[in-house]
Amino acid sequence: MYDITGYHEAHSLADVFAVIRTDPHARIVAGGTDVLVKNRAEAATYAEVALIGIREIPELQGIRLEVDGTISIGALCSFDEIEHDPIIRQHMGLLAQAVSLVGGPQTRHMGTIGGNICNAGPGADSSPSLLAYNAVLEIQSPTGTRHLPIRDLFTGPSQTVLKPGDVVVRINVAQADYQGYVGYYTKFARRNALDIANQSCAALIKVNDQQEIQDLRIAFGASAPTPVRAPHAEAYAQGKTISADVLKAIGTACLKDTKTHSGRNSKAFRDHLVTVLPGRNIMTALKGDE
Amino acid sequence: MDKKKIVGHSEERWDAIAKVKGQANYTGDFSFKHLLHAKILRSTIAHGYVKSYDIAEAAQMPGVIKIFLPEDLPHHLYSTAGHPWNLDPAKRDIEDRTMLTRHVHVYGDDIALVVARTELQAKKAMLKIKVEYDEYPVYLTPEAAMAPDAMRIHPERENAFASSEVGFGDVKQSLKDADYVIARHLTTPVQQHLHLENQIAVAYQSSDQRWTCISSTQIPHICRRIVAQANGIDWSQVRVKKPFIGGGFGNKQEIIIEPLVVALSRALGGRPVQIALTREETIAYTRTRHAISYDMKIGVNQDGHLTAIDCDVLSNQGGYASHGHAVGGKGGTFINALYRADSLRFSAKTVYTNIATAGAMRGYGMPQVIFALESIIDDAADKIGMDPIKFRQINHQPDGFYNQLGQTKQRDFLIEQCLVKGRAAFHWDEKLAASQAYKTGVKRRGVGIAAFSFGTAVWPFGLETSSARLFALPDGTFKLQVGATEIGQGADTALAQMAAETLGVPFKSVIRDVMTDTDLDPYDTGAYASRQTYIGGVAVKKAAEEMKQKILKRAETEFKVQLEHMDIVDGNIVYRADGDLVTTVKDMAMQSYYDWDTAGSMETYSSINVHHNSYGSGCSLAEVEVDIETGQVKLLSLMNVHDSGKIINPLLASGQVDGGMAMSAAYGLNEELLYNKAGKPLNNNMLDYKLPTAMDLPDLEGVFVESQDPLGPYGNKALGENPDVSPAPAIRNAVKNAIGVGIDKIPLTPELVYNQYQAAQKAAKGDL
Ligand SMILES: Cc1cc2nc3c(=O)[nH]c(=O)nc-3n(C[C@H](O)[C@H](O)[C@H](O)COP(=O)(O)OP(=O)(O)OC[C@H]3O[C@@H](n4cnc5c(N)ncnc54)[C@H](O)[C@@H]3O)c2cc1C
């Protein structure tokens, strides 16, 4: 049973801000694939509220390659759109792969990347890749526009720094953050579709001809209260030549930045996965399997 | 003369078009004027007593009509188990519940009801009821509930409320005599049915002042009885109607919400009242598959001879008795059906605990016992270094074996053919050889097999009756009425095929009805125990044979051709000798309505009581790849081979086989209802309860060893449940073949597989 008290269709950001001014509890809805689930479950701040539909707002649409090489993804882009977009496929294969693993076809058509990060699930499938790409969010609010690195977005499970009236408009990735990298994402889940990651790991890597690591970025989902990068492991990897021992050491160093706890899987097993997934991702990325 | 075969042909299910076009009405699709909605207030503890309710605020909530506490509804004791009534009080299901209760036996027990104008209003009001409890200790396992100081969950009886022991010979001696004794403690999880349509029922007072209940039930006639008993009214005062159903798998062989809606309508002046459970409620608070543990020992000689099978069973019943010991106590007969040993002992206890009440679920105890049996049998084959298929071949019961425990001669028992066919069709030897290339490295491959036996319907343990009615329509078509219940499995289509086959008319000439109505349809106990084509088929066959005689008799009278010279083929009445036309069924039907002298409509009715059983059998073969770094098991291929007699409708049969295989594969790999220490269910939603998707299953291959069962009405025997029995142990055995570790617990989650593999590696190192 849904418990929705009203619905406003916004055609512009100004429309959103106008509604928020009179009803600060009104909840933005993009694809609704989280909002409606939480509304039905009577989750605090999701039930007994009015919804503001943002799907008609032009600024939030489409994927562009800017003149400076920045890739700009509209917050309303669906997973399906991103997965099949030629710009993303060419330059951000890791993201295309990650979003192809979301839910099932219906969810990938309805769910948006903006909703995915704003919902701030620890296991959200787009977050580790966006962290690895150093994505920067363009946020508009009644008081103006600001740019927020995605690493500063998450504050806890389902919690972000966003305030009522903050709208994520675009997700931007600079050329230096994608050019020359290869990546691979592992979604460790109990099902191959319609599942949320028990744990996930994205690796984005740049190596030279001697197989020396020029730059490595590792990010985890569901391995800490928020999606996290693994700076200790990344620093360790700098300049190393890929070998089984180096990959193992990278995995072990990741434990310095993850914070697992026992749930469906024990902490010991989850920590074990933290240590093995990065190396497996790196090897797959370099083999170019994806 | 060529007779067109209808039985054995994949006729299109009669309701297919309606379902595709959205014309199929399910319980929730009916509309009622002034329908009221009820929500069940569920306890937030698993064991205790409700000291007090505060409903003041809830009663003021918008839309609330009335709030019902346990004292406000009838409190007759009843059982929700959908068995035929037993005239012998000692053999009845245990009656241990009332509609609402202050005595909380399970988390989510029904402690109050809120009726409101809308479902949302009912829910919001319900959330405002405040409850105070006395809390009792919570027992999650039979072991905990049987501890000497454990409190009785139902004061009237011990927590271990039922036990049984069957067998023959001296197992102790036979184990001593064996070259090897293998002992294992094998456990199975709580599985839930996850039928697509949740439980839903609506009740109202009909114009005849009786109570009509429209419900998504597998057992309309039994539902009538239980609703009446729970409400303390005459059975005839209840009329149950069953429209289209979105599956049940045994969970709707329980009468869970129907007594409540009838009681509420009675309390509210006959207004229609509906309860529609949510998915979360359905998973957590209806019924489950019993979690059962088996302490098994088998004795085996180096030559493969089985000396003994010894088994101690603990079945976790949950908070109410429901189907009770019928499930956990079932294994002995079917172990004996499958394998011969010098001695057998099967000793079982069923124990109340405070987890969700377990009840009927597809396979009814067989998936559990076959998991245990086929794991240890496989380990025995390994122990003596024998090919696991050959080991089963030298130990299985022969065709024609008389099973004393089941009082059944196993006629046409074709396990040998299944094993032989499975080995070839699955390419077992090739896959086994290929897996040798994957015994080092991160990804390991292996193959596994498991066999099973399965009864058809419930005789001699329960009553098996059915009835059918046929009447000819003026245009030569026939209306078939049965009490047997279509729940999506295709029973109606199969029964219509049978009627058409026996009558000699085209399949389309037999008309079924979606609605099973206890006022109109003849008596049958319902959809369970893979019984309907077998038992219902007997009733349909008899009614159709009589109808055929009536038609031929009429032709004889009219055309003066002796009845024995005629037959009905494809709707025509013809000479047996050469097929020349005498007349048509249509002409005779028209005559039966309108001929000035001989008119008299043609109707037949049959009612039967069957005292026999036909055992089916089969096997599953699985190929897996195990990632030893993550513990993930990938199912590469899976095949079921079935000895189910004649296959009435191959397409429908393959649907049953695919579904059963998926259900059992996930039982082996993924599905498990979990509880916290306080007995609260942790994963009662479709995200956290890991029902498989199409992406999680390989192409499912189903193979039949078709034959003609001598007792099945059309040579058929059980098939509905059989496919759900052996895939899980076949997968377990394949994982063992891949990584060298036999795991005694399902589901084989990544963490479990990883840990067991690591532990085995450590142990092996320690041994060196
Ligand atoms: C069946 C199913 C399967 C799923 N599988 C997956 C999966 O595999 N992986 C995964 O990561 N997720 C999964 N999800 C979750 C969900 O689909 C994703 O998180 C999705 O990205 C949410 O996007 P949405 O557009 O539907 O967000 P909505 O539900 O509309 O919104 C989500 C949250 O973000 C806020 N919001 C949305 N857009 C903006 C914006 N532009 N600015 C500010 N706030 C905003 C909303 O207020 C809300 O708090 C699944 C969900 C379902 C129902």
Side-chain angles (χ1 to χ4, degrees):
Chain A
M1 282 144 282
Y2 297 109
D3 192 355
I4 301 166
T5 59
Y7 182 77
H8 310 273
E9 183 76 39
H11 294 272
S12 65
L13 286 164
D15 283 352
V16 177
F17 305 145
V19 175
I20 289 289
R21 213 170 294 126
T22 54
D23 179 5
H25 299 295
R27 161 75 55 186
I28 288 175
V29 60
T33 59
D34 282 314
V35 166
L36 292 183
V37 172
K38 290 180 169 180
N39 177 280
R40 183 179 164 279
E42 303 279 339
T45 77
Y46 281 86
E48 280 194 288
V49 294
L51 302 182
I52 312 174
I54 58 171
R55 290 180 79 98
E56 300 299 319
I57 305 177
E59 290 92 323
L60 279 68
Q61 321 275 350
I63 296 167
R64 302 192 293 261
L65 185 56
E66 312 278 11
V67 278
D68 66 353
T70 299
I71 293 175
S72 175
I73 305 169
L76 279 173
C77 290
S78 73
F79 296 118
D80 186 72
E81 210 176 329
I82 294 168
E83 179 191 347
H84 296 106
D85 183 84
I87 299 168
I88 302 292
R89 291 187 87 87
Q90 189 185 345
H91 300 293
M92 294 176 65
L94 172 64
L95 181 65
Q97 185 223 342
V99 298
S100 77
L101 300 174
V102 169
Q106 297 92 334
T107 309
R108 293 198 292 275
H109 275 90
M110 285 305 290
T112 66
I113 193 161
N116 200 224
I117 57 175
C118 293
N119 185 61
D125 276 316
S126 70
S127 298
S129 306
L130 292 176
L131 277 169
Y133 284 117
N134 287 333
V136 177
L137 313 180
E138 180 192 327
I139 298 167
Q140 297 207 23
S141 70
T143 54
T145 303
R146 67 188 199 275
H147 294 270
L148 181 78
I150 189 168
R151 326 172 65 133
D152 300 330
L153 175 69
F154 307 114
T155 55
S158 303
Q159 279 163 14
T160 65
V161 297
L162 298 179
K163 301 208 170 37
D166 281 347
V167 180
V168 173
V169 176
R170 305 202 71 83
I171 298 159
N172 297 322
V173 175
Q175 189 172 42
D177 283 309
Y178 62 79
Q179 206 166 48
Y181 287 87
V182 290
Y184 191 74
Y185 175 71
T186 297
K187 175 173 181 171
F188 194 83
R190 292 272 289 274
R191 283 192 293 230
N192 294 315
L194 290 177
D195 213 346
I196 300 290
N198 288 129
Q199 251 171 299
S200 62
C201 176
L204 197 60
I205 188 167
K206 204 192 257 190
V207 294
N208 63 16
D209 293 345
Q210 288 76 49
Q211 290 294 297
E212 287 163 358
I213 299 173
Q214 305 292 288
D215 190 26
L216 173 66
R217 296 165 182 188
I218 297 171
F220 289 94
S223 304
T226 67
V228 290
R229 282 275 289 266
H232 286 91
E234 294 175 7
Y236 161 82
Q238 198 67 31
K240 298 274 186 319
T241 308
I242 304 243
S243 71
D245 286 342
V246 166
L247 293 179
K248 208 169 164 194
I250 289 173
T252 308
C254 286
L255 288 171
K256 292 191 179 142
D257 292 301
T258 57
K259 254 198 217 84
T260 61
H261 60 87
S262 290
R264 281 291 280 273
N265 289 326
S266 70
K267 176 169 171 57
F269 184 62
R270 301 181 78 179
D271 283 348
H272 164 70
L273 291 177
V274 166
T275 64
V276 299
L277 295 182
R280 289 164 67 113
N281 284 343
I282 289 168
M283 291 316 291
T284 313
L286 292 173
K287 264 191 290 178
D289 273 1
E290 258 302 314
Chain B
M1 187 175 37
D2 240 13
K3 261 199 141 175
K4 202 172 147 246
K5 281 287 175 199
I6 297 169
V7 160
H9 187 252
S10 292
E11 300 292 351
E12 182 179 292
R13 41 184 312 151
W14 76 269
D15 53 4
I17 302 287
K19 286 185 171 172
V20 172
K21 286 166 82 176
Q23 294 165 327
N25 284 330
Y26 295 76
T27 301
D29 293 325
F30 293 87
S31 53
F32 298 89
K33 253 190 242 163
H34 311 303
L35 179 65
L36 299 176
H37 298 265
K39 282 301 272 181
I40 300 168
L41 177 68
R42 300 185 176 280
S43 67
T44 53
I45 62 166
H47 194 196
Y49 184 82
V50 179
K51 277 195 299 197
S52 68
Y53 298 87
D54 176 355
I55 61 169
E57 191 186 350
Q60 296 307 313
M61 291 291 286
V64 171
I65 301 289
K66 194 169 160 112
I67 296 170
F68 293 85
L69 302 183
E71 295 73 27
D72 303 326
L73 290 181
H75 26 264
H76 304 282
L77 286 172
Y78 64 101
S79 164
T80 56
H83 290 136
W85 184 235
N86 205 309
L87 296 179
D88 176 358
K91 291 190 176 149
R92 287 178 193 158
D93 292 305
I94 293 175
E95 296 172 331
D96 63 356
R97 67 171 305 128
T98 52
M99 281 191 233
L100 294 177
T101 181
R102 282 177 180 254
H103 292 269
V104 172
H105 302 97
V106 293
Y107 192 97
D109 218 339
D110 309 11
I111 56 172
L113 279 161
V114 179
V115 180
R117 286 181 211 286
T118 72
E119 214 174 343
L120 185 59
Q121 286 171 334
K123 173 173 150 186
K124 291 180 108 167
M126 182 197 77
L127 295 172
K128 301 283 184 203
I129 300 177
K130 294 174 203 77
V131 178
E132 277 185 351
Y133 300 101
D134 266 339
E135 295 196 40
Y136 304 156
V138 171
Y139 309 112
L140 301 182
T141 62
E143 289 84 353
M146 290 189 328
D149 59 341
M151 145 179 204
R152 283 187 174 194
I153 292 172
H154 291 265
E156 315 79 59
R157 56 191 77 78
E158 281 179 42
N159 289 342
F161 66 88
S163 64
S164 59
E165 185 166 315
V166 296
F168 52 81
D170 179 350
V171 281
K172 275 205 182 115
Q173 188 56 45
S174 302
L175 286 170
K176 268 193 206 135
D177 295 343
D179 290 345
Y180 305 102
V181 173
I182 294 142
R184 291 243 177 271
H185 177 72
L186 297 133
T187 62
T188 64
V190 176
Q191 190 180 26
Q192 219 273 335
H193 314 68
L194 273 284
H195 36 79
L196 269 188
E197 183 199 26
N198 293 318
Q199 269 87 349
I200 177 169
V202 51
Y204 56 93
Q205 189 168 34
S206 24
S207 49
D208 59 9
Q209 302 303 295
R210 297 189 304 151
W211 305 97
T212 296
C213 177
I214 301 180
S215 167
S216 177
T217 177
Q218 296 177 218
I219 46 171
H221 281 97
I222 293 176
C223 182
R224 172 179 61 188
R225 187 239 323 153
I226 295 174
V227 166
Q229 288 173 331
N231 278 279
I233 57 181
D234 290 340
W235 298 10
S236 63
Q237 291 307 297
V238 179
R239 175 177 187 174
V240 175
K241 294 186 186 186
K242 174 224 67 98
F244 279 106
I245 290 199
F249 303 117
N251 204 16
K252 295 173 184 170
Q253 194 200 340
E254 299 265 353
I255 302 307
I256 298 174
I257 55 174
E258 294 88 344
L260 303 180
V261 284
V262 170
L264 291 174
S265 182
R266 292 178 68 224
L268 294 168
R271 285 183 70 176
V273 181
Q274 176 175 292
I275 294 179
L277 297 188
T278 62
R279 176 63 61 192
E280 289 77 1
E281 288 178 295
T282 299
I283 296 178
Y285 313 128
T286 58
R287 298 291 173 267
T288 61
R289 187 190 295 295
H290 292 76
I292 307 183
S293 69
Y294 299 84
D295 276 303
M296 270 206 176
K297 287 197 190 85
I298 63 175
V300 62
N301 289 344
Q302 188 56 50
D303 63 2
H305 174 76
L306 282 176
T307 66
I309 302 176
D310 187 29
C311 192
D312 283 295
V313 182
L314 277 182
S315 179
N316 188 336
Q317 179 53 53
Y320 292 96
S322 176
H323 283 248
H325 196 58
V327 176
K330 190 173 173 187
T333 307
F334 291 98
I335 292 176
N336 189 40
L338 192 54
Y339 294 123
R340 115 178 84 86
D342 301 337
S343 61
L344 168 70
R345 190 182 72 95
F346 188 86
S347 174
K349 281 196 174 76
T350 297
V351 187
Y352 280 130
T353 65
N354 298 116
I355 68 167
T357 302
M361 181 170 173
R362 192 182 198 177
Y364 207 79
M366 293 306 293
Q368 295 97 314
V369 71
I370 291 293
F371 168 73
L373 177 70
E374 286 300 283
S375 295
I376 196 167
I377 283 284
D378 213 72
D379 295 353
D382 281 356
K383 183 83 192 174
I384 59 167
M386 190 180 280
D387 172 84
I389 300 181
K390 183 172 170 218
F391 184 66
R392 287 169 173 86
Q393 284 178 292
I394 65 173
N395 283 303
H396 69 68
Q397 298 288 14
D399 184 10
F401 167 68
Y402 180 75
N403 187 334
Q404 214 161 341
L405 303 182
Q407 300 165 41
T408 292
K409 185 172 176 190
Q410 300 182 189
R411 298 179 175 90
D412 199 44
F413 185 73
L414 303 182
I415 183 62
E416 175 67 21
Q417 283 84 332
C418 290
L419 292 167
V420 169
K421 193 160 184 174
R423 174 171 222 129
F426 187 69
H427 302 293
W428 170 273
D429 294 295
E430 295 86 328
K431 284 180 177 167
L432 180 62
S435 74
Q436 295 309 317
Y438 294 85
K439 296 295 180 194
T440 55
V442 174
K443 308 259 169 113
R444 309 278 172 95
R445 288 189 182 182
V447 291
I449 183 163
F452 72 94
S453 59
F454 207 90
T456 305
V458 297
W459 189 87
F461 304 108
L463 186 63
E464 278 301 355
T465 58
S466 185
S467 45
R469 193 181 299 130
L470 268 172
F471 51 92
L473 296 169
D475 60 358
T477 59
F478 298 85
K479 178 85 190 192
L480 174 64
Q481 293 184 315
V482 290
T485 318
E486 169 68 48
I487 64 165
Q489 82 282 49
D492 269 352
T493 302
L495 295 172
Q497 281 179 263
M498 293 173 168
E501 172 93 14
T502 294
L503 285 167
V505 301
F507 171 66
K508 292 261 191 256
S509 297
V510 176
I511 299 168
R512 266 298 296 144
D513 198 334
V514 48
M515 196 67 99
T516 304
D517 182 332
T518 55
D519 264 21
L520 303 178
D521 287 302
Y523 184 78
D524 179 284
T525 55
Y528 56 87
S530 301
R531 61 180 292 282
Q532 293 196 137
T533 52
Y534 187 78
I535 305 293
V538 174
V540 167
K541 187 176 190 181
K542 208 167 161 217
E545 278 170 347
E546 280 176 25
M547 177 61 79
K548 184 175 174 184
Q549 290 307 305
K550 265 193 203 276
I551 298 165
L552 291 176
K553 189 88 199 145
R554 186 167 271 282
E556 181 184 64
T557 309
E558 173 79 13
F559 294 98
K560 312 300 181 230
V561 178
Q562 299 310 298
L563 195 151
E564 63 264 32
H565 296 317
M566 291 182 290
D567 197 1
I568 306 179
V569 177
D570 207 18
N572 293 319
I573 298 169
V574 298
Y575 285 94
R576 259 180 205 283
D578 52 17
D580 283 359
L581 187 70
V582 180
T583 181
T584 62
V585 170
K586 182 175 173 178
D587 279 348
M588 292 299 97
M590 198 59 92
Q591 236 198 21
S592 75
Y593 277 82
Y594 302 116
D595 184 86
W596 195 260
D597 295 317
T598 68
S601 63
M602 296 192 287
E603 294 179 17
T604 60
Y605 173 74
S606 71
S607 174
I608 52 105
N609 181 346
V610 173
H611 280 212
H612 56 70
N613 200 318
S614 298
Y615 286 5
S617 66
C619 61
S620 300
L621 302 102
E623 182 192 22
V624 300
E625 182 175 275
V626 184
D627 187 323
I628 57 161
E629 242 173 36
T630 63
Q632 283 170 310
V633 177
K634 186 169 170 196
L635 190 52
L636 298 176
S637 55
L638 184 64
M639 172 180 284
N640 265 19
V641 187
H642 288 286
D643 149 33
S644 286
K646 174 77 184 166
I647 301 304
I648 305 297
N649 183 317
L651 188 60
L652 288 178
S654 74
Q656 291 296 304
V657 173
D658 283 1
M661 289 171 78
M663 202 171 224
S664 178
Y667 185 53
L669 289 170
N670 244 343
E671 288 186 31
E672 178 175 25
L673 194 50
L674 298 164
Y675 295 88
N676 71 10
K677 283 203 190 83
K680 180 181 175 184
L682 293 174
N683 57 337
N684 52 324
N685 61 69
M686 289 178 96
L687 171 60
D688 297 317
Y689 183 92
K690 305 295 182 183
L691 199 70
T693 70
M695 304 281 284
D696 301 298
L697 298 164
D699 280 343
L700 301 168
E701 296 173 86
V703 175
F704 298 104
V705 181
E706 246 191 289
S707 69
Q708 200 70 23
D709 183 78
L711 300 182
Y714 293 83
N716 55 302
K717 52 187 173 181
L719 179 64
E721 296 169 279
N722 311 26
D724 188 26
V725 176
S726 54
I731 292 167
R732 178 266 184 196
N733 293 337
V735 168
K736 178 180 64 167
N737 184 251
I739 63 170
V741 186
I743 300 176
D744 293 341
K745 185 179 169 197
I746 47 174
L748 298 169
T749 63
E751 179 166 9
L752 177 67
V753 172
Y754 175 78
N755 286 342
Q756 295 259 327
Y757 179 74
Q758 289 298 320
Q761 295 309 104
K762 276 199 194 112
K765 270 190 202 133
D767 282 350
L768 288 177

